[in-house]
Amino acid sequence: MVPPSSSSSSSSSTSSSPAAGVTQEKSNRRGGSPASPSTKNSEAPAPGEEESNPPAVDVGIAKALAKPSESRAAELRQAKEAERTKNKKFLNPIEIPIKAGRAARRALESLGQVEEPAPKNPEDYRLYFDKKFMYAIPAPGEKTPTVLVVGATGDIGRQVVRKLILKGYRVQVLVRNLYSTTLNLLGTGVSYVKGDLSDLSSLRTACDGADKVVYVAQAREDGDARTVEYLGLRNLAQAFQDTRVSDAGKRVATKRTLFKFRKPADRGVWAVATPSAEGAEGAWTVQDERSGRPAFVGSLPVGPGGSMVLESKKLGLNLSKFGGLLMLFKAQGDAQTSFRFVIRTSAYAEQGVQYEIALPLVRNRFTAFRMNFRDFVPMKDGMPYAGVLGGLGGVTALDPGDVKQFAVMAVREGGAAAGVDAAVANPAFALTMEGIKVFRAREQADVVLLSSSDITPQTALKSLSEMERDPASFERVERGNYYRAQGELAMKNAGLAYCIVRISDFTSSPTEGRPLSVSRSGNNMGLISRPDAATVLINCLFNPTVCNTEIYASENPRYGDRDIQRLLNELVELPL
């Protein structure tokens, strides 16, 4: 405790002596400790000391010389960081176009939908859109499919890409270049692969990781028709198959060889059965030793009903994991000779019912023909069988898990040809067979292809030279459509699961969401907008009903329906 006398004398001497104040100020300027500003700032005064010992230095000078405290500096830094974060959030030049693009896409999707307004909450928009068009969105936890779009920079291709992105699928696109003009067409939501349809290695790169393919590429000039419409599809099918096998091995190969008839062991499984009509003759023999291919040759009487059968031994195969057969052959015969491929199950021994499919008669040219199990028709005594197999509750569809025997039939159709003497004329036939393969069953299409309604199965089986010699036929099928038909045939023969969507032409209106008509026949075809065509293509990717089928799509304001999935599901009720 300080004595009162000492405190008072110290106070009086300080206050009464001007020289003492000057001496203390000089000392402060030299950095002395009695009244140093740093000491003043670093140590807090004792209670009451501030009044008893006022600072000798002017308060304004002390504030000017003093540095800001560490806490104050931290507050300034936090304020600046908050300001930068705020500017980044609202002025990011990358984020603004993305938000604008999403808003624009939502606005475009709502065009033409007048019966139900789009929700204001963006989170509810997806549910609204799904209810409208019934898309198949991957369920949470499932692997999101990756879709390769070929022809993505075209008018219809851009619509397909946009809709796939909106639905959350991963999208890869094959483009000829990576110029800014190309990138600006599709944006940053896709993976780009630079390549060409004639370059198989670039197609393998594009197919790497792809689960499905949408092929909408079209030739811009007549000179590109063969490359784009035919070779492009053929190369794509090969590349898709190659990448699948390289990733998972041969166990996922699309095709497996069942018979290779150049091998004596496979050839020995087959033999000619007893002819069904008098005068019919047949043999199973190798006509050309150099090729080693055997041929089913013979002759049939001119009258109707005659047939010859080449059949295999009793096999008992379970082909339930496969979707059908692929046969390579060359057929020869007159206009009234037809060939049928036959599958016999347990129903043949029990009820005499077998399953048949007609083989195309393309003379003097090897043909690869795909036979889906679903396309085989039950037949009994040469007539379609409309009964029930297996008793009450049985089915008439072919069961690939119950294959007992294969056969090939040469059948004489119709009556005697005009001017032909039935007593002396026995028209000859020949069916040279290379082999038979089975292709794996798929629940959904691997490739969805946009094509023309002008193409028919007969178009693909005719050569371009034959069509050019037939002006009426060639006028109906343009050169580009002929090559597209050849490409479709090559894709089918590759064993891939497919869906071909045929249209007559596009409308000039960009409006989507109109009532649509989907059928398996090209009767009463109308036009369709590009957005609606893209919607049909995407729905066909994940619908099992249209796997390995060809459908026709158009707009039908009077009798159509907006529920595309229901339209596709109802196709199963129509005859094949």
Side-chain angles (χ1 to χ4, degrees):
M1 183 174 183
V2 180
S5 58
S6 171
S7 174
S8 60
S9 61
S10 173
S11 175
S12 62
S13 62
T14 303
S15 58
S16 62
S17 176
V22 175
T23 304
Q24 186 176 6
E25 185 176 353
K26 290 181 180 180
S27 175
N28 292 340
R29 291 173 183 174
R30 290 193 299 265
S33 59
S36 174
S38 59
T39 305
K40 194 78 174 177
N41 290 331
S42 58
E43 295 181 5
E49 187 178 350
E50 190 171 353
E51 289 88 5
S52 58
N53 296 315
V57 184
D58 184 76
V59 175
I61 296 176
K63 289 183 177 180
L65 295 177
K67 295 181 179 180
S69 64
E70 293 296 331
S71 60
R72 178 59 180 166
E75 292 177 0
L76 293 175
R77 286 196 299 270
Q78 292 177 0
K80 291 180 179 180
E81 184 66 25
E83 186 68 21
R84 283 196 298 267
T85 304
K86 180 179 178 181
N87 293 337
K88 181 179 180 181
K89 180 177 180 181
F90 295 101
L91 299 178
N92 188 346
I94 298 178
E95 191 174 28
I96 289 177
I98 293 176
K99 290 184 177 180
R102 290 172 180 169
R105 286 194 293 268
R106 296 190 184 103
L108 288 174
E109 293 293 348
S110 63
L111 289 178
Q113 312 303 322
V114 296
E115 69 279 8
E116 182 181 353
K120 296 181 180 180
N121 187 356
E123 296 180 358
D124 297 334
Y125 186 85
R126 190 174 199 184
L127 298 176
Y128 163 81
F129 194 82
D130 297 338
K131 180 180 178 182
K132 205 73 175 169
F133 293 98
M134 299 296 291
Y135 276 98
I137 299 180
E142 295 182 358
K143 177 182 179 295
T144 303
T146 299
V147 182
L148 170 64
V149 181
V150 180
T153 56
D155 293 336
I156 181 65
R158 294 199 298 272
Q159 295 284 346
V160 172
V161 170
R162 179 176 64 88
K163 290 179 178 293
L164 286 171
I165 294 175
L166 283 172
K167 303 316 298 177
Y169 296 111
R170 297 187 181 95
V171 181
Q172 295 177 183
V173 296
L174 177 71
V175 294
R176 295 182 179 179
N177 58 69
L178 297 175
Y179 299 152
S180 58
T181 53
T182 302
L183 302 180
N184 290 337
L185 288 175
L186 303 174
T188 59
V190 301
S191 299
Y192 292 87
V193 178
K194 180 182 177 182
D196 193 86
L197 291 173
S198 60
D199 183 6
L200 193 57
S201 62
S202 65
L203 287 176
R204 290 193 182 100
T205 303
C207 292
D208 187 21
D211 301 296
K212 297 177 180 294
V213 179
V214 178
Y215 194 100
V216 292
Q218 293 181 333
R220 299 176 182 176
E221 300 177 359
D222 292 341
D224 298 333
R226 184 173 184 270
T227 301
V228 176
E229 310 290 355
Y230 167 49
L231 295 179
L233 263 175
R234 188 187 69 177
N235 292 340
L236 175 69
Q238 180 179 346
F240 191 80
Q241 190 170 197
D242 290 347
T243 54
R244 178 176 292 176
V245 173
S246 64
D247 290 342
K250 292 185 178 181
R251 60 185 177 83
V252 297
T254 55
K255 296 180 292 185
R256 298 286 298 273
T257 300
L258 197 60
F259 296 103
K260 191 171 185 178
F261 292 116
R262 297 190 189 193
K263 296 182 178 181
D266 290 356
R267 190 164 61 242
V269 176
W270 294 69
V272 177
T274 304
S276 63
E278 185 178 353
E281 297 179 352
W284 175 237
T285 180
V286 177
Q287 292 182 314
D288 185 357
E289 294 293 342
R290 187 173 66 176
S291 67
R293 298 189 185 101
F296 175 37
V297 297
S299 59
L300 295 172
V302 176
S307 65
M308 282 293 303
V309 179
L310 173 71
E311 60 185 16
S312 71
K313 296 179 180 180
K314 300 295 179 62
L315 300 173
L317 300 177
N318 183 359
L319 302 179
S320 57
K321 294 185 178 180
F322 296 90
L325 305 174
L326 184 65
M327 182 176 173
L328 181 62
F329 63 92
K330 180 172 66 174
Q332 293 174 300
D334 66 354
Q336 290 182 310
T337 301
S338 65
F339 297 92
R340 302 174 189 173
F341 192 88
V342 179
I343 297 179
R344 293 169 179 165
T345 64
S346 300
Y348 181 72
E350 297 170 359
Q351 297 175 249
V353 177
Q354 61 186 17
Y355 296 85
E356 302 179 10
I357 189 171
L359 299 178
L361 184 60
V362 183
R363 295 174 179 82
N364 302 319
R365 197 178 84 181
F366 272 94
T367 303
F369 183 60
R370 176 168 174 155
M371 301 173 285
N372 298 313
F373 287 144
R374 64 189 298 176
D375 296 337
F376 279 80
V377 178
M379 303 284 289
K380 184 175 183 178
D381 299 328
M383 300 295 293
Y385 181 73
V388 177
L389 299 176
L392 185 64
V395 294
T396 57
L398 170 64
D399 180 11
D402 182 31
V403 176
K404 303 298 184 183
Q405 193 177 28
F406 296 116
V408 176
M409 297 176 58
V411 181
R412 188 70 179 167
E413 305 285 357
V420 176
D421 187 355
V424 298
N426 267 7
F429 67 86
L431 185 69
T432 306
M433 300 168 63
E434 171 69 26
I436 300 176
K437 296 183 177 182
V438 289
F439 57 85
R440 294 189 179 276
R442 301 279 291 173
E443 294 184 357
Q444 299 174 351
D446 295 317
V447 180
V448 173
L449 171 67
L450 182 67
S451 190
S452 171
S453 60
D454 294 334
I455 299 176
T456 63
Q458 291 73 23
T459 307
L461 299 176
K462 283 187 176 181
S463 65
L464 187 60
S465 59
E466 289 178 322
M467 293 176 59
E468 289 175 340
R469 287 195 299 267
D470 183 4
S473 175
F474 192 66
E475 287 178 0
R476 291 192 299 269
V477 180
E478 299 176 354
R479 184 181 296 265
N481 283 337
Y482 165 76
Y483 285 121
R484 174 55 65 94
Q486 297 297 319
E488 292 177 7
L489 187 62
M491 179 188 64
K492 294 177 182 178
N493 295 341
L496 298 176
Y498 65 90
C499 177
I500 301 175
V501 179
R502 301 197 184 280
I503 64 169
S504 60
D505 204 351
F506 294 112
T507 64
S508 58
S509 172
T511 305
E512 63 181 311
R514 293 180 176 178
L516 299 178
S517 173
V518 179
S519 66
R520 288 185 176 168
S521 65
N523 299 329
N524 302 321
M525 286 285 295
L527 305 181
I528 189 172
S529 67
R530 287 178 174 84
D532 280 338
T535 301
V536 175
L537 291 169
I538 294 174
N539 277 271
C540 289
L541 278 172
F542 305 100
N543 192 307
T545 305
V546 295
C547 184
N548 295 329
T549 62
E550 303 175 18
I551 65 173
Y552 295 80
S554 63
E555 291 179 352
N556 192 332
R558 185 172 183 180
Y559 300 106
D561 197 329
R562 290 184 174 88
D563 192 341
I564 298 174
Q565 284 291 351
R566 185 160 64 84
L567 291 176
L568 297 178
N569 292 335
E570 289 178 351
L571 288 174
V572 73
E573 305 295 337
L574 301 177
L576 295 172

